[in-house]
Amino acid sequence: MNNAKTTPVKISDVVLRDGHQSLIATRMRTEDMLPICAKLDAIGFHALEVWGGATFDACVRFLKEDPWERLTSLREALPNTPLQMLLRGQNLLGYRHYADDVVERFVARAADNGVDIFRVFDALNDLRNLETAMKAVKASGKHAQGTICYTVSPVHTLETYLEQARRLVDMGADSIAIKDMAGLLTPYATSELVAGLVEAVEVPVHLHAHATAGLASLCQLKAVEAGCRHIDTCNSAFANGTSHPSTEAMVAAFQGTPYDTGLDLVALKEIGDYFREVRKKYAAFESEYTREDVSVQIWQVPGGMMSNLANQMKEQNALGRIMDVFDEIPRVRADLGYPPLVTPTSQIVGTQAAMNVLTGERYKSITNEVKRYLLGGYGQPPAAVDEEVRRKAIGSEPVDEGRPADQLQPEMARLETEIGELAESEEDVLTFAMFPDLGRDFLKGRRDGTLVPEAIPAPSSGGGERPVSEG
Amino acid sequence: MNNAKTTPVKISDVVLRDGHQSLIATRMRTEDMLPICAKLDAIGFHALEVWGGATFDACVRFLKEDPWERLTSLREALPNTPLQMLLRGQNLLGYRHYADDVVERFVARAADNGVDIFRVFDALNDLRNLETAMKAVKASGKHAQGTICYTVSPVHTLETYLEQARRLVDMGADSIAIKDMAGLLTPYATSELVAGLVEAVEVPVHLHAHATAGLASLCQLKAVEAGCRHIDTCNSAFANGTSHPSTEAMVAAFQGTPYDTGLDLVALKEIGDYFREVRKKYAAFESEYTREDVSVQIWQVPGGMMSNLANQMKEQNALGRIMDVFDEIPRVRADLGYPPLVTPTSQIVGTQAAMNVLTGERYKSITNEVKRYLLGGYGQPPAAVDEEVRRKAIGSEPVDEGRPADQLQPEMARLETEIGELAESEEDVLTFAMFPDLGRDFLKGRRDGTLVPEAIPAPSSGGGERPVSEG
Ligand SMILES: [Co+2]
Ligand SMILES: [Co+2]
């Protein structure tokens, strides 16, 4: 139990990862990060989140930067600040489950290149998908942060979250993060959840809450009052909307109280002035879907998912039926045992809901992803799935109830062979592992000296492609 | 004492007044308000703030709308919602002190044309400047809200604010508003202030807090927990930054709690969708100075004042000395007995501070406004002024310590004569009273049918003139 009711709040700033991922499609380039690192490093943050999430993908896909090089240069430029990454458990930073040997090597290389704190999560909160990564972090001597993906459903009670936290601590978690990727938390729900967690576990509790509905700063305040001492904020230049509460505001909020962060507002403001200029360069990646929007508090559907669905329905000339899809989403989610809606489950649920509406008959057509999900391919759903839907989808095929990665043979050796001399390091092999085609092209381009970052579009062109993950 | 710890929070939405005043230089036109009034009227707000502040000025100066007509058409379009206005005490909506007869007639006509709630304030918190207006509101049978302009200084203690509230109630105030025009309040300062006020007075306490530093929603949450049940918010389309916390966010924050506002989020979201479209039309009036900025929490200087000073110093080729001016402001403010910084005191203090820096010698040159201030022309400063500065400014001239308006002879008759047949109603005379030249031109233009609203500039042109008041 944490009795530190009057100790300072510690701030992890996410401007170098989640801030630009949330607001400008993960496009900030390393060249725009390095000039401000000395000032960032002098602030005294608990941590800076700098890697993982969609940044790896964006580096390889759009920026033609080696993500490992970004990590080592940030490590060098930020010698005094712990660096944090976001890791999708057994999915690492890719879009499938990897064999354990890949997970182990990935974590080892990330630790070696500079990551101090690994925030590890699984979209279904299936802790078996976190096991190998957590063990690997511990083996590397780094900080393993176990994550609770927050969602709202009849089966997600306070007790299920507390039990998950206890199990994460049993797995070696050095801290627990509440990850509210959609902005579902309300201040008083946060209060209850945090008070429970602080009571239930000895390790620090972190709050990562997106400001999508305009509630995250309120949630952080109530979290702090309930005993949380670690909040994720983002420099004001990349704060609010689908990003996070601003660092400056939260620092000011606690000034002169027992929670005082002790951070220097003038220095933070200077950093903000820098990043506001940087943000202008990326104006083409701004989107109206990143602004504050209360919808998630009405329909429990994350903003990114709503805009994706709107686009899908538009393409089918069926935008007029979008409200039917919003109504169908909770039903599909119930059928699938109430998965939290985050990559990849948000796509799985959303696409099936749209299909159920468009075909005019529920589950007349069923996506391969839903089939894979019902076969146990993503792990264990939070609750029992609907038996009839399962039968329609997979008939009498056996459901795999084991840890998904137990089905996978070691694959590092194969990956090394496949990529051959294009890989100059184990890091390169792991890049290839994350993105087979894209990674190979990247390594080839690097060898041939033909890598060209995407041009930054003119602001009027309405934004470029966005990597396919949230967080 | 207010024991209503578990009663619903009531929302006053300011989108039709302070929202667009704060974010698009008070430019929203009546034609963009009326189409959404039916939906606004159905929400069940405690009130809609629709008039006063800078709207009167903007109507006459830029939009060439009759402000009285705006009021009557909003009254007609919002039959079920109390309408609120912001009134600068003895200054009404103009920029000087008016004689009592003008104040009385103005309030009577405003009440008659549709204002239900009058929020009355004075920049110096000199209650003698509120007396006549408060009495006139009571005489008209309407709701008189007495206002505390919040500031931070060695002489502004909790007890001074509580005493002010008690005196406002003695003057007949039906409720008390805390007006944090600059965004100075922090959540825990709010908590203490509101708890004190709720204990000190029987009438409801309202919180009007600008989100300039990103703290207002936090302040409102703490205010509500401390017993406040009336908060000012703004539809999300015109919320945040130098405006107010978003209505939707605050409604969502309290949903399902004893504070639940009971307002319909889906309906509020539809209103937001409407106003987001409207805001696009006024893109030219957007300014980078309206975004969230923590500076006021560092230097205690309101955002609008900082940008004005930056412009002044730039014109003098002295932008490099702006930090000296920021350092000088608190000294000038101390010399002048710690006035809150709001129109007109923000200009009085800021200009003198800039002069003190530019001339290289403090009070070598002294503005006429500072002289008038030291002669007692604006009312009584919150604390004693510096005697040496006073001597330098006004020598041995006698200081008027009476109520400023006591010096003024009745002036309605003179105004009526002066404007003659250009005025078709008492409202017209009052329009002329507010703005002698501008008002006459407006009435003449109306008679001749030559009124032309300013063209809305193209967005790239970087904004038009702004009316000279905050609030
Ligand atoms: Co995130
Ligand atoms: Co205001």
Side-chain angles (χ1 to χ4, degrees), chain A residues 188 215 217-218 221-222 225 240 246 249 269 276 291-292 295, chain B residues 188 213 215 217-218 221-222 225 240 246 249 269 276 291-292 295:
Chain A
Y188 297 96
L215 298 181
S217 60
L218 302 169
L221 186 88
K222 293 310 293 177
E225 291 183 352
N240 298 320
S246 88
K269 189 184 143 49
R276 267 181 282 278
R291 67 184 170 211
E292 183 181 316
S295 301
Chain B
Y188 297 97
L215 299 181
S217 61
L218 302 169
L221 186 88
K222 294 309 291 178
E225 291 183 354
N240 299 319
S246 88
K269 189 185 142 48
R276 267 180 284 277
R291 68 184 169 212
E292 182 181 315
S295 300

PDB file of all heavy atoms in Angstrom, chain A residues 188 215 217-218 221-222 225 240 246 249 269 276 291-292 295, chain B residues 188 213 215 217-218 221-222 225 240 246 249 269 276 291-292 295:
ATOM      1  N   TYR A 188     -14.440  10.724 -11.556  1.00  0.00           N
ATOM      2  CA  TYR A 188     -14.797   9.958 -10.356  1.00  0.00           C
ATOM      3  C   TYR A 188     -14.595   8.456 -10.553  1.00  0.00           C
ATOM      4  O   TYR A 188     -14.304   7.735  -9.598  1.00  0.00           O
ATOM      5  CB  TYR A 188     -16.196  10.355  -9.884  1.00  0.00           C
ATOM      6  CG  TYR A 188     -16.182  11.819  -9.481  1.00  0.00           C
ATOM      7  CD1 TYR A 188     -16.590  12.815 -10.361  1.00  0.00           C
ATOM      8  CD2 TYR A 188     -15.636  12.212  -8.267  1.00  0.00           C
ATOM      9  CE1 TYR A 188     -16.501  14.171 -10.022  1.00  0.00           C
ATOM     10  CE2 TYR A 188     -15.529  13.556  -7.920  1.00  0.00           C
ATOM     11  CZ  TYR A 188     -15.961  14.526  -8.798  1.00  0.00           C
ATOM     12  OH  TYR A 188     -15.835  15.853  -8.459  1.00  0.00           O
ATOM     13  N   LEU A 215     -11.495  15.252 -20.602  1.00  0.00           N
ATOM     14  CA  LEU A 215     -11.600  14.888 -19.184  1.00  0.00           C
ATOM     15  C   LEU A 215     -10.276  14.491 -18.542  1.00  0.00           C
ATOM     16  O   LEU A 215     -10.198  14.321 -17.327  1.00  0.00           O
ATOM     17  CB  LEU A 215     -12.593  13.730 -19.019  1.00  0.00           C
ATOM     18  CG  LEU A 215     -14.029  14.020 -19.454  1.00  0.00           C
ATOM     19  CD1 LEU A 215     -14.909  12.801 -19.220  1.00  0.00           C
ATOM     20  CD2 LEU A 215     -14.570  15.214 -18.699  1.00  0.00           C
ATOM     21  N   SER A 217      -7.355  15.806 -17.797  1.00  0.00           N
ATOM     22  CA  SER A 217      -6.710  16.565 -16.725  1.00  0.00           C
ATOM     23  C   SER A 217      -7.513  16.422 -15.428  1.00  0.00           C
ATOM     24  O   SER A 217      -6.932  16.314 -14.346  1.00  0.00           O
ATOM     25  CB  SER A 217      -6.561  18.044 -17.114  1.00  0.00           C
ATOM     26  OG  SER A 217      -7.814  18.639 -17.357  1.00  0.00           O
ATOM     27  N   LEU A 218      -8.824  16.375 -15.547  1.00  0.00           N
ATOM     28  CA  LEU A 218      -9.671  16.160 -14.369  1.00  0.00           C
ATOM     29  C   LEU A 218      -9.400  14.783 -13.771  1.00  0.00           C
ATOM     30  O   LEU A 218      -9.342  14.625 -12.549  1.00  0.00           O
ATOM     31  CB  LEU A 218     -11.145  16.271 -14.768  1.00  0.00           C
ATOM     32  CG  LEU A 218     -11.579  17.596 -15.397  1.00  0.00           C
ATOM     33  CD1 LEU A 218     -12.977  17.485 -15.985  1.00  0.00           C
ATOM     34  CD2 LEU A 218     -11.522  18.715 -14.367  1.00  0.00           C
ATOM     35  N   LEU A 221      -6.132  14.883 -11.876  1.00  0.00           N
ATOM     36  CA  LEU A 221      -6.271  15.544 -10.578  1.00  0.00           C
ATOM     37  C   LEU A 221      -6.885  14.578  -9.561  1.00  0.00           C
ATOM     38  O   LEU A 221      -6.385  14.446  -8.429  1.00  0.00           O
ATOM     39  CB  LEU A 221      -7.161  16.776 -10.724  1.00  0.00           C
ATOM     40  CG  LEU A 221      -7.273  17.647  -9.474  1.00  0.00           C
ATOM     41  CD1 LEU A 221      -6.148  18.674  -9.461  1.00  0.00           C
ATOM     42  CD2 LEU A 221      -8.609  18.373  -9.414  1.00  0.00           C
ATOM     43  N   LYS A 222      -7.954  13.912  -9.964  1.00  0.00           N
ATOM     44  CA  LYS A 222      -8.607  12.996  -9.033  1.00  0.00           C
ATOM     45  C   LYS A 222      -7.709  11.790  -8.752  1.00  0.00           C
ATOM     46  O   LYS A 222      -7.710  11.250  -7.637  1.00  0.00           O
ATOM     47  CB  LYS A 222      -9.961  12.532  -9.582  1.00  0.00           C
ATOM     48  CG  LYS A 222     -11.011  13.632  -9.687  1.00  0.00           C
ATOM     49  CD  LYS A 222     -11.194  14.453  -8.425  1.00  0.00           C
ATOM     50  CE  LYS A 222     -11.774  13.665  -7.267  1.00  0.00           C
ATOM     51  NZ  LYS A 222     -11.863  14.523  -6.030  1.00  0.00           N
ATOM     52  N   GLU A 225      -5.218  12.898  -6.147  1.00  0.00           N
ATOM     53  CA  GLU A 225      -5.855  12.960  -4.827  1.00  0.00           C
ATOM     54  C   GLU A 225      -6.107  11.564  -4.257  1.00  0.00           C
ATOM     55  O   GLU A 225      -6.147  11.391  -3.043  1.00  0.00           O
ATOM     56  CB  GLU A 225      -7.174  13.738  -4.919  1.00  0.00           C
ATOM     57  CG  GLU A 225      -6.956  15.223  -5.201  1.00  0.00           C
ATOM     58  CD  GLU A 225      -8.254  16.027  -5.224  1.00  0.00           C
ATOM     59  OE1 GLU A 225      -9.340  15.419  -5.165  1.00  0.00           O
ATOM     60  OE2 GLU A 225      -8.164  17.267  -5.309  1.00  0.00           O
ATOM     61  N   ASN A 240      -3.629  18.078 -25.409  1.00  0.00           N
ATOM     62  CA  ASN A 240      -5.099  18.175 -25.517  1.00  0.00           C
ATOM     63  C   ASN A 240      -5.647  17.479 -26.765  1.00  0.00           C
ATOM     64  O   ASN A 240      -4.913  16.870 -27.523  1.00  0.00           O
ATOM     65  CB  ASN A 240      -5.544  19.637 -25.447  1.00  0.00           C
ATOM     66  CG  ASN A 240      -5.147  20.250 -24.108  1.00  0.00           C
ATOM     67  OD1 ASN A 240      -5.259  19.595 -23.075  1.00  0.00           O
ATOM     68  ND2 ASN A 240      -4.644  21.471 -24.123  1.00  0.00           N
ATOM     69  N   SER A 246      -1.820  19.062 -20.828  1.00  0.00           N
ATOM     70  CA  SER A 246      -0.531  19.709 -21.039  1.00  0.00           C
ATOM     71  C   SER A 246       0.307  19.669 -19.768  1.00  0.00           C
ATOM     72  O   SER A 246      -0.190  19.818 -18.653  1.00  0.00           O
ATOM     73  CB  SER A 246      -0.715  21.142 -21.537  1.00  0.00           C
ATOM     74  OG  SER A 246      -0.828  22.047 -20.484  1.00  0.00           O
ATOM     75  N   ALA A 249       0.153  22.902 -17.708  1.00  0.00           N
ATOM     76  CA  ALA A 249      -1.068  23.074 -16.917  1.00  0.00           C
ATOM     77  C   ALA A 249      -1.040  22.198 -15.676  1.00  0.00           C
ATOM     78  O   ALA A 249      -1.392  22.646 -14.578  1.00  0.00           O
ATOM     79  CB  ALA A 249      -2.301  22.762 -17.767  1.00  0.00           C
ATOM     80  N   LYS A 269       7.879  26.348 -20.567  1.00  0.00           N
ATOM     81  CA  LYS A 269       7.294  27.256 -21.555  1.00  0.00           C
ATOM     82  C   LYS A 269       8.245  27.440 -22.747  1.00  0.00           C
ATOM     83  O   LYS A 269       7.818  27.489 -23.894  1.00  0.00           O
ATOM     84  CB  LYS A 269       6.988  28.600 -20.903  1.00  0.00           C
ATOM     85  CG  LYS A 269       6.191  29.514 -21.809  1.00  0.00           C
ATOM     86  CD  LYS A 269       5.961  30.876 -21.218  1.00  0.00           C
ATOM     87  CE  LYS A 269       6.041  31.934 -22.297  1.00  0.00           C
ATOM     88  NZ  LYS A 269       5.253  31.674 -23.504  1.00  0.00           N
ATOM     89  N   ARG A 276       5.999  24.511 -30.616  1.00  0.00           N
ATOM     90  CA  ARG A 276       4.938  25.162 -31.395  1.00  0.00           C
ATOM     91  C   ARG A 276       5.439  25.514 -32.801  1.00  0.00           C
ATOM     92  O   ARG A 276       4.720  25.385 -33.779  1.00  0.00           O
ATOM     93  CB  ARG A 276       4.410  26.401 -30.669  1.00  0.00           C
ATOM     94  CG  ARG A 276       3.198  26.094 -29.795  1.00  0.00           C
ATOM     95  CD  ARG A 276       2.649  27.317 -29.093  1.00  0.00           C
ATOM     96  NE  ARG A 276       3.462  27.673 -27.946  1.00  0.00           N
ATOM     97  CZ  ARG A 276       3.364  27.108 -26.742  1.00  0.00           C
ATOM     98  NH1 ARG A 276       2.458  26.184 -26.526  1.00  0.00           N
ATOM     99  NH2 ARG A 276       4.161  27.469 -25.755  1.00  0.00           N
ATOM    100  N   ARG A 291      -9.283  16.765 -32.465  1.00  0.00           N
ATOM    101  CA  ARG A 291      -9.681  17.759 -31.473  1.00  0.00           C
ATOM    102  C   ARG A 291     -10.596  17.137 -30.407  1.00  0.00           C
ATOM    103  O   ARG A 291     -11.106  16.036 -30.564  1.00  0.00           O
ATOM    104  CB  ARG A 291     -10.397  18.923 -32.157  1.00  0.00           C
ATOM    105  CG  ARG A 291     -11.707  18.485 -32.724  1.00  0.00           C
ATOM    106  CD  ARG A 291     -12.401  19.581 -33.502  1.00  0.00           C
ATOM    107  NE  ARG A 291     -13.518  18.981 -34.202  1.00  0.00           N
ATOM    108  CZ  ARG A 291     -13.985  19.400 -35.364  1.00  0.00           C
ATOM    109  NH1 ARG A 291     -13.428  20.414 -35.968  1.00  0.00           N
ATOM    110  NH2 ARG A 291     -15.003  18.782 -35.925  1.00  0.00           N
ATOM    111  N   GLU A 292     -10.774  17.882 -29.342  1.00  0.00           N
ATOM    112  CA  GLU A 292     -11.635  17.421 -28.248  1.00  0.00           C
ATOM    113  C   GLU A 292     -13.012  17.068 -28.778  1.00  0.00           C
ATOM    114  O   GLU A 292     -13.602  17.818 -29.543  1.00  0.00           O
ATOM    115  CB  GLU A 292     -11.742  18.535 -27.192  1.00  0.00           C
ATOM    116  CG  GLU A 292     -12.559  18.127 -25.974  1.00  0.00           C
ATOM    117  CD  GLU A 292     -12.673  19.243 -24.938  1.00  0.00           C
ATOM    118  OE1 GLU A 292     -11.655  19.899 -24.654  1.00  0.00           O
ATOM    119  OE2 GLU A 292     -13.789  19.453 -24.428  1.00  0.00           O
ATOM    120  N   SER A 295     -17.764  12.529 -27.949  1.00  0.00           N
ATOM    121  CA  SER A 295     -18.481  11.339 -28.461  1.00  0.00           C
ATOM    122  C   SER A 295     -18.145  10.061 -27.710  1.00  0.00           C
ATOM    123  O   SER A 295     -19.021   9.222 -27.479  1.00  0.00           O
ATOM    124  CB  SER A 295     -18.178  11.140 -29.940  1.00  0.00           C
ATOM    125  OG  SER A 295     -18.563  12.264 -30.670  1.00  0.00           O
TER     126      SER A 295
ATOM    127  N   TYR B 188      -6.584  24.370  -6.245  1.00  0.00           N
ATOM    128  CA  TYR B 188      -6.674  24.349  -4.788  1.00  0.00           C
ATOM    129  C   TYR B 188      -6.942  25.736  -4.211  1.00  0.00           C
ATOM    130  O   TYR B 188      -7.560  25.856  -3.156  1.00  0.00           O
ATOM    131  CB  TYR B 188      -5.450  23.633  -4.198  1.00  0.00           C
ATOM    132  CG  TYR B 188      -5.461  22.189  -4.658  1.00  0.00           C
ATOM    133  CD1 TYR B 188      -4.705  21.768  -5.756  1.00  0.00           C
ATOM    134  CD2 TYR B 188      -6.313  21.270  -4.060  1.00  0.00           C
ATOM    135  CE1 TYR B 188      -4.780  20.462  -6.223  1.00  0.00           C
ATOM    136  CE2 TYR B 188      -6.404  19.952  -4.521  1.00  0.00           C
ATOM    137  CZ  TYR B 188      -5.629  19.556  -5.601  1.00  0.00           C
ATOM    138  OH  TYR B 188      -5.726  18.272  -6.070  1.00  0.00           O
ATOM    139  N   ALA B 213      -4.749  29.272 -18.888  1.00  0.00           N
ATOM    140  CA  ALA B 213      -3.586  28.471 -18.481  1.00  0.00           C
ATOM    141  C   ALA B 213      -3.887  26.978 -18.463  1.00  0.00           C
ATOM    142  O   ALA B 213      -3.060  26.174 -18.035  1.00  0.00           O
ATOM    143  CB  ALA B 213      -3.101  28.917 -17.104  1.00  0.00           C
ATOM    144  N   LEU B 215      -6.271  25.546 -16.708  1.00  0.00           N
ATOM    145  CA  LEU B 215      -6.638  25.115 -15.365  1.00  0.00           C
ATOM    146  C   LEU B 215      -8.125  25.234 -15.038  1.00  0.00           C
ATOM    147  O   LEU B 215      -8.580  24.747 -14.010  1.00  0.00           O
ATOM    148  CB  LEU B 215      -5.840  25.921 -14.328  1.00  0.00           C
ATOM    149  CG  LEU B 215      -4.320  25.767 -14.391  1.00  0.00           C
ATOM    150  CD1 LEU B 215      -3.664  26.592 -13.285  1.00  0.00           C
ATOM    151  CD2 LEU B 215      -3.915  24.315 -14.259  1.00  0.00           C
ATOM    152  N   SER B 217     -11.010  23.976 -16.016  1.00  0.00           N
ATOM    153  CA  SER B 217     -11.871  22.819 -15.766  1.00  0.00           C
ATOM    154  C   SER B 217     -11.518  22.193 -14.419  1.00  0.00           C
ATOM    155  O   SER B 217     -12.397  21.753 -13.677  1.00  0.00           O
ATOM    156  CB  SER B 217     -11.766  21.796 -16.904  1.00  0.00           C
ATOM    157  OG  SER B 217     -10.451  21.308 -17.033  1.00  0.00           O
ATOM    158  N   LEU B 218     -10.221  22.191 -14.097  1.00  0.00           N
ATOM    159  CA  LEU B 218      -9.795  21.674 -12.792  1.00  0.00           C
ATOM    160  C   LEU B 218     -10.354  22.545 -11.670  1.00  0.00           C
ATOM    161  O   LEU B 218     -10.794  22.037 -10.637  1.00  0.00           O
ATOM    162  CB  LEU B 218      -8.262  21.659 -12.709  1.00  0.00           C
ATOM    163  CG  LEU B 218      -7.552  20.833 -13.785  1.00  0.00           C
ATOM    164  CD1 LEU B 218      -6.054  21.104 -13.773  1.00  0.00           C
ATOM    165  CD2 LEU B 218      -7.814  19.348 -13.574  1.00  0.00           C
ATOM    166  N   LEU B 221     -14.024  21.748 -11.197  1.00  0.00           N
ATOM    167  CA  LEU B 221     -14.217  20.490 -10.469  1.00  0.00           C
ATOM    168  C   LEU B 221     -14.031  20.701  -8.971  1.00  0.00           C
ATOM    169  O   LEU B 221     -14.849  20.269  -8.149  1.00  0.00           O
ATOM    170  CB  LEU B 221     -13.215  19.440 -10.969  1.00  0.00           C
ATOM    171  CG  LEU B 221     -13.407  18.037 -10.393  1.00  0.00           C
ATOM    172  CD1 LEU B 221     -14.388  17.261 -11.250  1.00  0.00           C
ATOM    173  CD2 LEU B 221     -12.088  17.284 -10.317  1.00  0.00           C
ATOM    174  N   LYS B 222     -12.954  21.390  -8.607  1.00  0.00           N
ATOM    175  CA  LYS B 222     -12.699  21.627  -7.182  1.00  0.00           C
ATOM    176  C   LYS B 222     -13.746  22.573  -6.594  1.00  0.00           C
ATOM    177  O   LYS B 222     -14.113  22.432  -5.431  1.00  0.00           O
ATOM    178  CB  LYS B 222     -11.286  22.181  -6.964  1.00  0.00           C
ATOM    179  CG  LYS B 222     -10.151  21.207  -7.322  1.00  0.00           C
ATOM    180  CD  LYS B 222     -10.306  19.845  -6.683  1.00  0.00           C
ATOM    181  CE  LYS B 222     -10.129  19.843  -5.170  1.00  0.00           C
ATOM    182  NZ  LYS B 222     -10.355  18.478  -4.616  1.00  0.00           N
ATOM    183  N   GLU B 225     -16.780  20.489  -5.853  1.00  0.00           N
ATOM    184  CA  GLU B 225     -16.561  19.681  -4.647  1.00  0.00           C
ATOM    185  C   GLU B 225     -16.625  20.542  -3.383  1.00  0.00           C
ATOM    186  O   GLU B 225     -16.949  20.049  -2.303  1.00  0.00           O
ATOM    187  CB  GLU B 225     -15.214  18.959  -4.731  1.00  0.00           C
ATOM    188  CG  GLU B 225     -15.209  17.875  -5.804  1.00  0.00           C
ATOM    189  CD  GLU B 225     -13.896  17.098  -5.853  1.00  0.00           C
ATOM    190  OE1 GLU B 225     -12.948  17.467  -5.133  1.00  0.00           O
ATOM    191  OE2 GLU B 225     -13.832  16.116  -6.615  1.00  0.00           O
ATOM    192  N   ASN B 240     -12.074  26.398 -24.384  1.00  0.00           N
ATOM    193  CA  ASN B 240     -10.639  26.244 -24.089  1.00  0.00           C
ATOM    194  C   ASN B 240      -9.795  27.433 -24.549  1.00  0.00           C
ATOM    195  O   ASN B 240     -10.325  28.403 -25.075  1.00  0.00           O
ATOM    196  CB  ASN B 240     -10.113  24.923 -24.659  1.00  0.00           C
ATOM    197  CG  ASN B 240     -10.833  23.735 -24.029  1.00  0.00           C
ATOM    198  OD1 ASN B 240     -11.085  23.732 -22.834  1.00  0.00           O
ATOM    199  ND2 ASN B 240     -11.186  22.753 -24.833  1.00  0.00           N
ATOM    200  N   SER B 246     -15.063  23.298 -21.800  1.00  0.00           N
ATOM    201  CA  SER B 246     -16.162  22.968 -22.698  1.00  0.00           C
ATOM    202  C   SER B 246     -17.345  22.428 -21.907  1.00  0.00           C
ATOM    203  O   SER B 246     -17.198  21.651 -20.962  1.00  0.00           O
ATOM    204  CB  SER B 246     -15.714  21.998 -23.789  1.00  0.00           C
ATOM    205  OG  SER B 246     -15.837  20.679 -23.378  1.00  0.00           O
ATOM    206  N   ALA B 249     -17.544  18.586 -21.924  1.00  0.00           N
ATOM    207  CA  ALA B 249     -16.599  17.913 -21.026  1.00  0.00           C
ATOM    208  C   ALA B 249     -17.071  17.998 -19.582  1.00  0.00           C
ATOM    209  O   ALA B 249     -17.041  17.009 -18.844  1.00  0.00           O
ATOM    210  CB  ALA B 249     -15.201  18.518 -21.166  1.00  0.00           C
ATOM    211  N   LYS B 269     -23.716  17.851 -28.327  1.00  0.00           N
ATOM    212  CA  LYS B 269     -22.785  17.557 -29.410  1.00  0.00           C
ATOM    213  C   LYS B 269     -23.318  18.100 -30.736  1.00  0.00           C
ATOM    214  O   LYS B 269     -22.548  18.627 -31.559  1.00  0.00           O
ATOM    215  CB  LYS B 269     -22.563  16.045 -29.508  1.00  0.00           C
ATOM    216  CG  LYS B 269     -21.437  15.683 -30.460  1.00  0.00           C
ATOM    217  CD  LYS B 269     -21.293  14.189 -30.652  1.00  0.00           C
ATOM    218  CE  LYS B 269     -20.939  13.876 -32.105  1.00  0.00           C
ATOM    219  NZ  LYS B 269     -19.850  14.662 -32.669  1.00  0.00           N
ATOM    220  N   ARG B 276     -19.078  24.521 -34.791  1.00  0.00           N
ATOM    221  CA  ARG B 276     -17.781  24.286 -35.447  1.00  0.00           C
ATOM    222  C   ARG B 276     -17.808  24.771 -36.891  1.00  0.00           C
ATOM    223  O   ARG B 276     -16.835  25.325 -37.391  1.00  0.00           O
ATOM    224  CB  ARG B 276     -17.385  22.801 -35.353  1.00  0.00           C
ATOM    225  CG  ARG B 276     -16.510  22.510 -34.138  1.00  0.00           C
ATOM    226  CD  ARG B 276     -16.115  21.049 -34.049  1.00  0.00           C
ATOM    227  NE  ARG B 276     -17.225  20.242 -33.580  1.00  0.00           N
ATOM    228  CZ  ARG B 276     -17.525  20.099 -32.283  1.00  0.00           C
ATOM    229  NH1 ARG B 276     -16.800  20.671 -31.359  1.00  0.00           N
ATOM    230  NH2 ARG B 276     -18.554  19.365 -31.922  1.00  0.00           N
ATOM    231  N   ARG B 291      -4.669  30.728 -27.616  1.00  0.00           N
ATOM    232  CA  ARG B 291      -4.498  29.325 -27.228  1.00  0.00           C
ATOM    233  C   ARG B 291      -4.013  29.212 -25.779  1.00  0.00           C
ATOM    234  O   ARG B 291      -3.579  30.175 -25.188  1.00  0.00           O
ATOM    235  CB  ARG B 291      -3.517  28.637 -28.174  1.00  0.00           C
ATOM    236  CG  ARG B 291      -2.138  29.176 -27.991  1.00  0.00           C
ATOM    237  CD  ARG B 291      -1.156  28.591 -28.987  1.00  0.00           C
ATOM    238  NE  ARG B 291       0.063  29.370 -28.893  1.00  0.00           N
ATOM    239  CZ  ARG B 291       0.880  29.600 -29.895  1.00  0.00           C
ATOM    240  NH1 ARG B 291       0.624  29.123 -31.082  1.00  0.00           N
ATOM    241  NH2 ARG B 291       1.979  30.302 -29.715  1.00  0.00           N
ATOM    242  N   GLU B 292      -4.107  28.006 -25.261  1.00  0.00           N
ATOM    243  CA  GLU B 292      -3.663  27.739 -23.892  1.00  0.00           C
ATOM    244  C   GLU B 292      -2.227  28.188 -23.720  1.00  0.00           C
ATOM    245  O   GLU B 292      -1.372  27.899 -24.550  1.00  0.00           O
ATOM    246  CB  GLU B 292      -3.788  26.233 -23.608  1.00  0.00           C
ATOM    247  CG  GLU B 292      -3.402  25.864 -22.184  1.00  0.00           C
ATOM    248  CD  GLU B 292      -3.513  24.364 -21.919  1.00  0.00           C
ATOM    249  OE1 GLU B 292      -4.517  23.747 -22.307  1.00  0.00           O
ATOM    250  OE2 GLU B 292      -2.566  23.808 -21.309  1.00  0.00           O
ATOM    251  N   SER B 295       1.645  31.173 -19.237  1.00  0.00           N
ATOM    252  CA  SER B 295       2.368  32.379 -18.797  1.00  0.00           C
ATOM    253  C   SER B 295       1.714  33.104 -17.626  1.00  0.00           C
ATOM    254  O   SER B 295       2.406  33.607 -16.738  1.00  0.00           O
ATOM    255  CB  SER B 295       2.511  33.358 -19.960  1.00  0.00           C
ATOM    256  OG  SER B 295       3.218  32.756 -21.012  1.00  0.00           O
TER     257      SER B 295
END
